[in-house]
Amino acid sequence: GVSSQPLDEPGAGLEALELMVAAARSAGDDTGAPSILQGVQRVAVPHGSWQYSDPGRVIAERIGAQDAKTVLVETGIPQQTLLNDAHAAIRAGALEVALIVGGEASRRATIARRAGATLVDSDQHGAMPDDLQRPAGEIVTRIEIEGGFASAPGSFALIDSALRDAEGRTLDEHRDEIAGLWAGFSATAARFPNAAFPEMRDAAFLREPSESNRPIAFPYNKWHCAQMNVDQSAAILVCSLDAATRFGVDLDRVVFPLVALESSSSVPVSERRDLHRWPAMEVLGRAAEAHLGHDLAATELAEVYSCFPAAVRVQQRALRLPVDGIPTIMGGETFAGGPWNNFVLQATAAMIERLRAEPDASGLVTTVSGLLNKPGLAVYAMGPGPAPLLLGDLAENAERATPRVEVIADYHGPARVAAYSVGYDHSEPSRWTVIADTPDGDRCVAMSEEAELARQATLEERIGMTVHVDGARFDA
């Protein structure tokens, strides 16, 4: 079930909790047997930008599942984890029906704030869920923050610059590739009925900064980035086939998970020897292919997590998907809409609908948590696979597969630029951040606020040049 509200009136519309309730009810209706909602034994919610302390409790009560256990999963745990936990509990016989639901009302909040209107959302007065899950492992290190890792766009742009260098692209070729990929995502959104931003944006528009496409972090402009100011919610019912049959679910609407994998291992960006790769996702991809008996490129439908172009481009290579393909059925987080910490549920709901329309196909949905830290991967089909669901956390395999390098604080001396991004103030280049390799084989992170040098870095390749690092700052 999905729920959304395109609104422009300050103070109007539903808060995020109400959107989640609506999506949950929609999921019940979608089964053809709404009474299944009363049989829900677990309501799991990924934490959003809101302040609810136990949203699952309200949702459970509103759908008539007052005895359901509630789970709240904090940011930094992949959204795929909520689905995998439900699969594991059902497989173990610990429960029969689970509801995973998330949502945002960020557009509503933004419109109200700009108009000076006050919104009063539900206050649960500190009520605690039955299970509060907190992430383990660092996403961004203190060294990275001190060296200028100030934003997600800048961090993904750094990764994209390393991929550019690894594949021998010029700055112009790199910008062309990104623009072409994102134009394909935009074209897909124009055909997706639930897209928040279905207006067609072509490669020429996307490539160049403008008043309506301001630069964010070179080479990314506004319309290369996830658009989180959306009001969207999604709910997924996961149950045993016995429970579906008992509750009278329309079995023609049942979709089966064939693969449900994740890695809870978290290696910070600067500590990865190969900045342009994501070995953890490679591990998941190879395991999925071995289980399915074919390459993931043969999967007919795909929604690859798409917060920024680097996420898609790195995953295409990690999963051996066509690098000239457009791996989306929705338009991605830029154009379909990117509700914070809920997009995987939106993507899964969209994939379920698409598979029902194309019952002979299978569908891939991936997850990115953090800055390419913790991956998730799921494959779905309208019938069960020849082997049982492949389910698991491959953290140990991912750790072994990821070459690491020591990142040192307070380094002083020469270093070779391995990746960089440029930040802007009022659409003018104002600073640039580098990940650089020292002569001893270590690594450092540093930033320069020399505006002219930052501008030059948008015009001429700077990977490979030597800079002089002084702690968290550098001079070119």
Side-chain angles (χ1 to χ4, degrees), residues 315-335:
Q315 288 182 90
Q316 285 175 310
R317 289 145 178 87
L319 300 176
R320 299 190 293 212
L321 304 179
V323 296
D324 58 351
I326 308 296
T328 180
I329 60 170
M330 305 166 64
E333 292 187 69
T334 300
F335 307 107

Side-chain angles (χ1 to χ4, degrees), residues 314-391:
V314 169
Q315 288 182 90
Q316 285 175 310
R317 289 145 178 87
L319 300 176
R320 299 190 293 212
L321 304 179
V323 296
D324 58 351
I326 308 296
T328 180
I329 60 170
M330 305 166 64
E333 292 187 69
T334 300
F335 307 107
W340 190 63
N341 209 30
N342 184 52
F343 182 75
V344 174
L345 301 186
Q346 306 290 148
T348 302
M351 185 61 71
I352 289 168
E353 290 284 7
R354 187 68 177 268
L355 289 170
R356 289 168 175 167
E358 300 180 36
D360 294 330
S362 57
L364 167 69
V365 178
T366 71
T367 303
V368 170
S369 179
L371 308 175
L372 300 188
N373 293 89
K374 302 174 184 178
L377 184 155
V379 178
Y380 300 94
M382 289 301 294
L389 165 67
L390 177 63
L391 174 67

Side-chain angles (χ1 to χ4, degrees), residues 104-143:
E104 293 287 346
S106 296
R107 178 175 173 80
R108 176 175 179 262
T110 299
I111 289 172
R113 184 176 64 253
R114 289 173 179 170
T118 300
L119 296 177
V120 181
D121 287 346
S122 298
D123 186 348
Q124 296 188 274
H125 304 289
M128 292 298 292
D130 296 308
D131 182 11
L132 176 62
Q133 298 183 15
R134 293 191 166 97
E138 286 185 300
I139 293 177
V140 182
T141 68
R142 177 185 59 81
I143 294 174

Side-chain angles (χ1 to χ4, degrees), residues 82-413:
L82 287 80
L83 293 160
N84 287 9
D85 285 352
H87 299 327
I90 291 170
R91 172 178 279 180
L95 62 81
E96 288 189 301
V97 185
L99 176 71
I100 296 92
V101 55
E104 293 287 346
S106 296
R107 178 175 173 80
R108 176 175 179 262
T110 299
I111 289 172
R113 184 176 64 253
R114 289 173 179 170
T118 300
L119 296 177
V120 181
D121 287 346
S122 298
D123 186 348
Q124 296 188 274
H125 304 289
M128 292 298 292
D130 296 308
D131 182 11
L132 176 62
Q133 298 183 15
R134 293 191 166 97
E138 286 185 300
I139 293 177
V140 182
T141 68
R142 177 185 59 81
I143 294 174
E144 289 174 336
I145 293 170
E146 292 177 352
F149 271 57
S151 69
S155 301
F156 278 92
L158 277 157
I159 295 169
D160 223 332
S161 76
L163 181 56
R164 176 181 72 228
D165 178 64
E167 297 188 340
R169 302 291 192 266
T170 66
L171 295 187
D172 283 341
E173 289 168 341
H174 185 206
R175 293 174 66 204
D176 288 343
E177 288 185 2
I178 291 171
L181 175 64
W182 243 232
F185 272 68
S186 179
T188 301
R191 303 187 296 271
F192 181 60
N194 293 326
F197 307 100
E199 176 188 342
M200 281 280 291
R201 293 171 173 86
D202 62 21
F205 169 83
L206 293 165
R207 187 185 193 278
E208 301 301 328
S210 65
E211 288 187 7
S212 54
N213 191 33
R214 67 183 186 280
I216 302 294
F218 183 80
Y220 297 161
N221 303 317
K222 172 186 175 180
W223 289 103
H224 290 126
C225 304
Q227 301 298 311
M228 296 188 292
N229 283 338
V230 294
D231 293 0
Q232 295 178 335
S233 178
I236 310 293
L237 277 164
V238 183
C239 65
S240 67
L241 192 56
D242 285 346
T245 303
R246 189 171 69 253
F247 279 103
V249 168
D250 181 352
L251 297 185
D252 289 337
R253 303 186 68 72
V254 172
V255 174
F256 292 82
L258 309 183
V259 174
L261 296 174
E262 62 181 308
S263 169
S264 59
S265 170
S266 183
V267 181
V269 173
S270 61
E271 295 181 14
R272 303 171 204 164
R273 169 59 69 187
D274 302 318
L275 293 168
H276 65 287
R277 290 179 53 217
W278 196 5
M281 184 62 90
E282 294 171 12
V283 165
L284 268 56
R286 299 301 89 78
E289 290 176 336
H291 180 75
L292 295 168
H294 60 74
D295 291 348
L296 286 173
T299 304
E300 293 87 352
L301 304 170
E303 186 62 45
V304 170
Y305 198 93
S306 51
C307 48
F308 301 95
V312 174
R313 285 159 47 77
V314 169
Q315 288 182 90
Q316 285 175 310
R317 289 145 178 87
L319 300 176
R320 299 190 293 212
L321 304 179
V323 296
D324 58 351
I326 308 296
T328 180
I329 60 170
M330 305 166 64
E333 292 187 69
T334 300
F335 307 107
W340 190 63
N341 209 30
N342 184 52
F343 182 75
V344 174
L345 301 186
Q346 306 290 148
T348 302
M351 185 61 71
I352 289 168
E353 290 284 7
R354 187 68 177 268
L355 289 170
R356 289 168 175 167
E358 300 180 36
D360 294 330
S362 57
L364 167 69
V365 178
T366 71
T367 303
V368 170
S369 179
L371 308 175
L372 300 188
N373 293 89
K374 302 174 184 178
L377 184 155
V379 178
Y380 300 94
M382 289 301 294
L389 165 67
L390 177 63
L391 174 67
D393 180 352
L394 304 186
E396 292 185 6
N397 301 41
E399 283 276 354
R400 289 194 296 269
T402 305
R404 299 177 74 156
V405 62
E406 183 177 359
V407 181
I408 54 179
D410 203 30
Y411 171 74
H412 299 270

Side-chain angles (χ1 to χ4, degrees), residues 64-89:
Q66 289 87 348
D67 296 331
K69 301 298 184 182
T70 62
V71 182
L72 185 61
V73 176
E74 291 188 349
T75 308
I77 295 176
Q79 295 156 52
Q80 183 64 39
T81 299
L82 287 80
L83 293 160
N84 287 9
D85 285 352
H87 299 327

